[in-house]
């Protein structure tokens, strides 16, 4: 709970807000822990995120390099096989059906050397054609209706001795033995019209065609072809199944939602890591080309629109997610030469570990903050307990309550020192208070009348007492006995006057000067003064009985009570003030106390007192008398007794009932 002091105090200090120490320590500890832990977590997150991005870029480059390496290996191996076949004098220099057994043997060896070959073939300038396909591909087996034991199928399109064109299909087992031969209908296939033939015929370097969707198997493939060195019109070609490349791209993805694809020089994607997307892309057009004429995926479109230049890295916001994109050119590889590999991964997945560390760090920081708060509250409780005890001691000192000091124990040096200082201050104030009416000081502070040397006129009831024949009594006793006797005597006065709302202003030898209605206002000050005098008289009767039992002299006390205007305030030197009342009212009260000797009474009061008491006090009139030092006479009354307040109220109600309406 916050507190704000009222206006500026007596010392002129401005108003300030305050909070309990426990709250301040808790807030300070929480702020410190949050600041430190937040800074450390923030730095750790930034570093982890940067490391994740650096690692992701390195992984993406490594992936692109592996992809290009695989393409290079596949391209190099196939190019070597095709180039070797086309560079030596062999059975392919003559068209089929000549040297068919030699051709089949060589074709089998080539297929055995490369698992990625879909088939190898040769086209001739007269339109003849021979091809061997690997029947491990289920699509080929179904398309050719191959026998179960068949491992290789050899198809030849040739001119028979009769001059007719034939289409023959031979199935071989794994050992090269012929299982079955079929004669097929002519399909009108002409190798001279195929792109692989046209790209390599009469050339000196191998050529790559594709990628495209292979007509028979529907798989993604490319062709590498080269003209035979012995006859430029004969072209040796091989179809490569790129399924292993797409499988690698799908299998080696960096994250669950990352993508990789290969695009040609025109920016058209030709291979993709998403098998489902690849299947949609592989909708064959004429001549088995890959259909990439229309965008098939918004992510693919977004990546293409934000490709970084060269082999750089870029970022793009696509469908509410940020992607990091790496593009790498395919160089020095015949297969897909001039193409680019593209890898894109969502930033949130790449930094997932950093985010998890952030959340873990936040959870740990929250736990530390909570533990720190609990520790701070515990420590604050220990400190505030001691401070609360010190505050209670200070409040008791303010109230001039000098009960036994409490020992404030604390491990905080300043609090322990303050506790010892508070006890020393208590002892000093207690000693000083023995010489100062502490109730007067307390009430004066509460009423705000203690503000330096100042006084004001106000109505008070002054009350004086004196012990009859005290001088003789003092001469008969030692000073120690007199002091002890007076101490017990004054204890009765101090207790009774305080109980009736009055203040003892001064002890004057054996006399007591008390006052009502100052410094604290009292509407029934005259009545309370009379009641106090009667109560003291009763207690003194008991006290005297005890003295008599101890064979000590009795103390007979006389009282004088007068009400009037007096000058009340603090008078004296700058460093020594006394709160008192001065004027005729005080003097008259003192004279009335002395006049008890003349009338043989104990308590005398003036007519001003009687007027204020009304029916609450029973008085006995004694007539008029001249008071020393006063020109006018006084009406004197003896205070006889007091009526109980319930009885007084009943009398008032009865009197009101008798008044005619």
């Amino acid at each position: 709970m916050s507190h704000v002091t009222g206006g500026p105090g007596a010392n002129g200090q401005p108003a300030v807000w305050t909070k309990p120490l426990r709250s301040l320590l808790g807030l300070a500890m929480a702020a410190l822990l949050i600041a430190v832990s937040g800074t450390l977590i923030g730095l750790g997150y930034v570093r982890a995120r940067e490391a994740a991005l650096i690692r992701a870029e390195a992984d993406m480059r490594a992936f692109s390099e592996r992809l290009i390496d695989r393409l290079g290996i596949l391209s190099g191996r196939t190019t070597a096989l095709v180039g070797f076949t086309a560079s030596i004098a062999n059975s392919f220099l003559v068209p089929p059906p000549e040297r068919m057994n030699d051709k089949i043997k060589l074709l089998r060896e080539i297929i055995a050397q490369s698992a990625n070959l879909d088939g190898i073939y040769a086209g001739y300038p007269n339109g003849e054609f021979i091809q061997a396909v690997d029947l491990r591909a289920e699509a080929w087996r179904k398309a050719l209706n191959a026998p179960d034991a068949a491992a290789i199928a050899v198809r030849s399109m040739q001119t028979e001795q009769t001059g007719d064109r034939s289409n023959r299909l031979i199935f071989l087992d794994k050992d090269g033995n012929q299982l079955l031969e079929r004669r097929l209908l002519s399909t009108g296939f002409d190798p001279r019209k195929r792109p692989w033939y046209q790209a390599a015929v009469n050339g000196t370097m191998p050529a790559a065609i594709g990628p495209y969707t292979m007509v028979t198997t529907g798989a993604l493939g490319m062709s590498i072809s080269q003209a035979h060195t012995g006859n430029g019109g004969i072209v040796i070609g091989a179809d490569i199944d790129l399924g292993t490349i797409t499988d690698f791209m799908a299998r080696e993805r960096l994250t669950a939602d990352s993508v990789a694809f290969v695009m040609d020089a025109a920016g058209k994607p030709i291979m993709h890591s998403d098998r489902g997307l690849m299947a949609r892309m592989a909708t064959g057009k004429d001549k088995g080309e890959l259909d990439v004429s229309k965008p098939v995926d918004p992510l693919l479109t977004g990546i293409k629109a934000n490709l970084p230049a060269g082999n750089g890295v870029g970022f793009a916001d696509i469908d509410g997610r940020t992607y990091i994109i790496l593009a790498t050119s395919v160089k020095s590889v015949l297969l897909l030469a001039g193409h680019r590999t593209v890898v894109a991964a969502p930033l949130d997945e790449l930094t997932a570990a950093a985010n998890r560390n952030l959340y873990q760090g936040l959870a740990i920081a929250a736990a530390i903050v909570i533990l720190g708060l609990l520790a701070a509250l515990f420590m604050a409780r220990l400190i505030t307990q001691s401070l609360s005890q010190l505050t209670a001691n200070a409040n008791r000192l303010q109230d001039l309550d000098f009960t036994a000091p409490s020992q404030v124990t604390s491990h905080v040096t300043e609090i322990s020192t303050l506790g010892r200082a508070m006890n020393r201050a208590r002892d000093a104030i207690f000693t000083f208070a023995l010489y100062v009416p502490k109730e007067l000081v307390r009430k004066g502070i509460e009423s705000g009348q203690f503000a330096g040397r100042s006084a004001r006129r106000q109505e008070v009831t002054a009350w004086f007492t004196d012990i009859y024949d005290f001088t003789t009594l003092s001469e008969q006793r030692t000073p120690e006995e007199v002091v002890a006797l007076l101490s017990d005597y004054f204890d009765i006065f101090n207790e009774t006057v305080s109980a009736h709302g009055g203040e003892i202003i001064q002890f004057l030898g054996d006399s007591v000067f008390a006052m009502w209605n100052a410094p604290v206002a009292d509407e029934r000050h005259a009545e309370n003064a009379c009641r106090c005098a009667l109560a003291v008289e009763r207690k003194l009767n008991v006290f005297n009985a005890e003295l008599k039992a101890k064979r000590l002299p009795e103390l007979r006390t006389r009282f004088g009570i007068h009400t009037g205007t007096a000058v009340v305030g603090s008078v004296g030197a700058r460093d020594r003030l006394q709160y008192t009342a001065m004027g005729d009212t005080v003097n008259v009260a003192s004279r009335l106390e002395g006049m008890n000797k003349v009338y043989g009474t104990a308590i005398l009061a003036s007519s001003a007192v009687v007027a204020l008491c009304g029916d609450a006090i029973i008085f006995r009139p004694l007539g008029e008398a001249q008071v020393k030092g006063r020109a006018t006479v006084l009406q004197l009354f003896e205070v006889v007794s007091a009526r109980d307040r319930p009885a007084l109220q009943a009398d008032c109600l009865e009197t009101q009932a008798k008044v005619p309406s």
Side-chain angles (χ1 to χ4, degrees):
M1 178 183 296
S2 299
H3 302 280
V4 179
T5 61
N11 57 1
Q13 294 296 322
V16 294
W17 66 270
T18 62
K19 280 185 176 294
L21 178 61
R22 185 178 304 179
S23 299
L24 292 176
L25 282 178
L27 290 174
M29 181 66 73
L32 178 62
L33 291 175
I34 291 174
V36 173
S37 58
T39 301
L40 293 178
I41 292 172
L43 290 175
Y45 173 71
V46 170
R47 291 177 179 176
R49 189 175 184 274
E50 291 178 351
L53 292 178
I54 294 173
R55 185 171 58 251
E57 182 178 350
D59 291 342
M60 293 169 76
R61 291 191 182 279
F63 173 83
S64 295
E65 291 173 359
R66 294 199 305 272
L67 177 59
I68 293 174
D69 288 343
R70 284 177 175 265
L71 291 172
I73 293 172
L74 185 59
S75 174
R77 183 179 299 169
T78 306
T79 302
L81 290 173
V82 172
F84 173 77
T85 305
S87 62
I88 63 174
N90 52 32
S91 58
F92 283 101
L93 286 173
V94 293
E98 297 182 37
R99 301 185 62 180
M100 281 295 294
N101 290 335
D102 293 337
K103 288 182 176 65
I104 292 174
K105 183 177 181 180
L106 184 56
L107 291 174
R108 288 183 59 251
E109 290 296 330
I110 293 174
I111 289 177
Q113 293 296 322
S114 179
N116 295 101
L117 284 183
D118 182 69
I120 186 166
Y121 40 82
Y124 293 85
N126 61 356
E128 294 180 344
F129 176 74
I130 185 171
Q131 177 186 22
V133 296
D134 189 351
L135 293 180
R136 284 177 294 184
E138 190 63 28
W140 273 115
R141 300 190 69 88
K142 290 182 179 180
L144 300 179
N145 192 20
D148 293 339
I152 294 177
V154 178
R155 182 175 61 170
S156 64
M157 296 179 182
Q158 60 195 37
T159 302
E160 301 293 341
Q161 293 180 354
T162 60
D164 297 330
R165 299 278 295 178
S166 66
N167 188 0
R168 301 174 62 190
L169 182 61
I170 301 172
F171 294 98
L172 307 174
D173 62 15
K174 62 180 181 177
D175 298 322
N177 300 316
Q178 181 173 328
L179 298 176
L180 181 66
E181 179 178 351
R182 294 180 186 156
R183 289 187 178 270
L184 306 176
L185 296 176
S186 177
T187 61
F189 176 81
D190 189 345
R192 295 169 296 182
K193 297 180 181 180
R194 304 305 300 172
W196 55 268
Y197 182 90
Q198 295 173 356
V201 65
N202 296 320
T204 59
M205 299 296 295
I209 303 300
Y212 56 85
T213 303
M214 291 184 287
V215 177
T216 303
T217 63
L220 183 66
M222 292 190 72
S223 297
I224 293 180
S225 57
Q226 184 174 351
H228 202 292
T229 57
N231 184 349
I234 302 173
V235 177
I236 309 299
D239 289 338
I240 304 172
D241 186 353
L242 296 179
T244 57
I245 301 298
T246 56
D247 289 343
F248 169 79
M249 294 169 65
R251 184 177 64 252
E252 299 294 327
R253 288 186 299 177
L254 299 179
T255 64
D257 292 336
S258 63
V259 296
F261 59 91
V262 178
M263 59 191 306
D264 61 16
K268 296 179 180 179
I270 57 176
M271 283 189 289
H272 202 285
S273 58
D274 187 337
R275 291 186 175 92
L277 181 59
M278 195 68 223
R280 295 196 300 273
M281 290 169 57
T283 54
K285 299 196 301 181
D286 294 340
K287 301 181 181 179
E289 295 177 354
L290 189 68
D291 186 1
V292 292
S293 59
K294 296 181 180 179
V296 292
D297 182 64
L299 176 59
L300 186 63
T301 303
I303 293 173
K304 287 174 58 180
N306 294 276
L307 281 177
N311 295 331
V313 177
F315 294 87
D317 292 328
I318 304 171
D319 288 342
R321 301 180 77 179
T322 300
Y323 285 80
I324 180 171
I325 304 171
L326 172 68
T328 306
S329 298
V330 180
K331 299 178 180 179
S332 66
V333 177
L334 177 62
L335 198 63
L336 304 179
H339 291 51
R340 300 176 77 188
T341 62
V342 180
V343 183
L347 191 61
D348 55 354
E349 292 185 348
L350 295 175
T351 58
N355 292 334
R356 286 195 299 270
N357 293 336
L358 173 64
Y359 298 144
Q360 292 175 358
L362 291 175
I364 294 173
I368 292 175
V369 170
I370 293 174
L371 292 176
L373 282 176
L374 294 177
L377 293 176
F378 177 73
M379 293 177 61
R381 183 174 181 273
L382 295 180
I383 295 174
T384 53
Q385 280 183 336
S386 302
L387 292 178
S388 297
Q389 294 177 356
L390 290 175
T391 303
N393 291 346
N395 289 332
R396 285 199 297 270
L397 285 181
Q398 178 181 337
D399 295 335
L400 303 179
D401 179 5
F402 303 110
T403 55
S406 59
Q407 297 299 324
V408 179
T409 58
S410 175
H411 295 292
V412 181
T413 302
E414 289 78 5
I415 294 179
S416 298
T417 303
L418 182 59
R420 291 191 295 270
M422 187 72 73
N423 284 333
R424 290 195 297 270
R426 172 202 167 277
D427 295 338
I429 297 174
F430 173 72
T431 303
F432 176 77
L434 294 176
Y435 300 91
V436 179
K438 64 180 182 180
E439 290 299 323
L440 174 64
V441 174
R442 181 188 298 114
K443 292 180 180 179
I445 294 174
E446 292 174 353
S447 63
Q449 295 187 18
F450 286 6
R453 291 185 291 185
S454 63
R456 63 179 180 177
R457 296 172 62 87
Q458 70 177 89
E459 184 180 66
V460 297
T461 296
W463 196 81
F464 270 89
T465 72
D466 188 53
I467 299 177
Y468 177 76
D469 201 16
F470 181 72
T471 302
T472 302
L473 184 148
S474 299
E475 293 175 350
Q476 298 174 353
R477 293 287 182 272
T478 64
E480 291 79 10
E481 290 176 334
V482 172
V483 170
L485 186 62
L486 281 179
S487 296
D488 294 338
Y489 173 80
F490 286 143
D491 282 342
I492 294 174
F493 278 81
N494 188 63
E495 176 186 345
T496 309
V497 170
S498 178
H500 286 78
E503 276 303 328
I504 294 178
I505 304 302
Q506 195 173 10
F507 292 108
L508 303 171
D510 63 323
S511 300
V512 178
F513 170 30
M515 183 168 59
W516 275 259
N517 203 35
V520 178
D522 183 359
E523 294 181 355
R524 295 196 294 266
H525 52 91
E527 175 189 344
N528 288 332
C530 294
R531 288 181 180 276
C532 180
L534 293 170
V536 171
E537 189 176 45
R538 289 191 298 272
K539 291 182 179 181
L540 287 178
N541 290 334
V542 177
F543 180 67
N544 285 327
E546 294 175 353
L547 293 178
K548 185 176 181 179
K550 298 176 182 179
R551 297 183 179 182
L552 295 175
E554 299 181 27
L555 302 179
R556 292 182 295 167
T557 304
R558 300 188 295 261
F559 300 83
I561 308 173
H562 179 56
T563 298
T565 302
V567 179
V568 180
S570 300
V571 297
R574 282 191 299 269
D575 56 354
R576 178 66 182 274
L577 298 177
Q578 181 178 4
Y579 185 80
T580 187
M582 298 176 293
D584 180 64
T585 299
V586 179
N587 294 333
V588 170
S590 177
R591 296 291 185 267
L592 289 176
E593 178 273 317
M595 293 180 69
N596 280 289
K597 293 185 289 183
V598 177
Y599 290 92
T601 55
I603 307 175
L604 280 182
S606 65
S607 57
V609 175
V610 175
L612 290 178
C613 291
D615 295 333
I617 305 297
I618 299 174
F619 297 94
R620 183 170 68 89
L622 298 178
E624 297 181 347
Q626 185 70 41
V627 177
K628 182 179 179 180
R630 206 166 190 268
T632 57
V633 295
L634 282 178
Q635 293 286 335
L636 300 184
F637 295 86
E638 179 185 10
V639 180
V640 178
S641 62
R643 295 186 180 183
D644 294 337
R645 296 197 186 279
L648 178 62
Q649 293 175 0
D651 290 346
C652 292
L653 292 175
E654 182 179 354
T655 302
Q656 293 175 2
K658 292 179 180 179
V659 176
S661 58

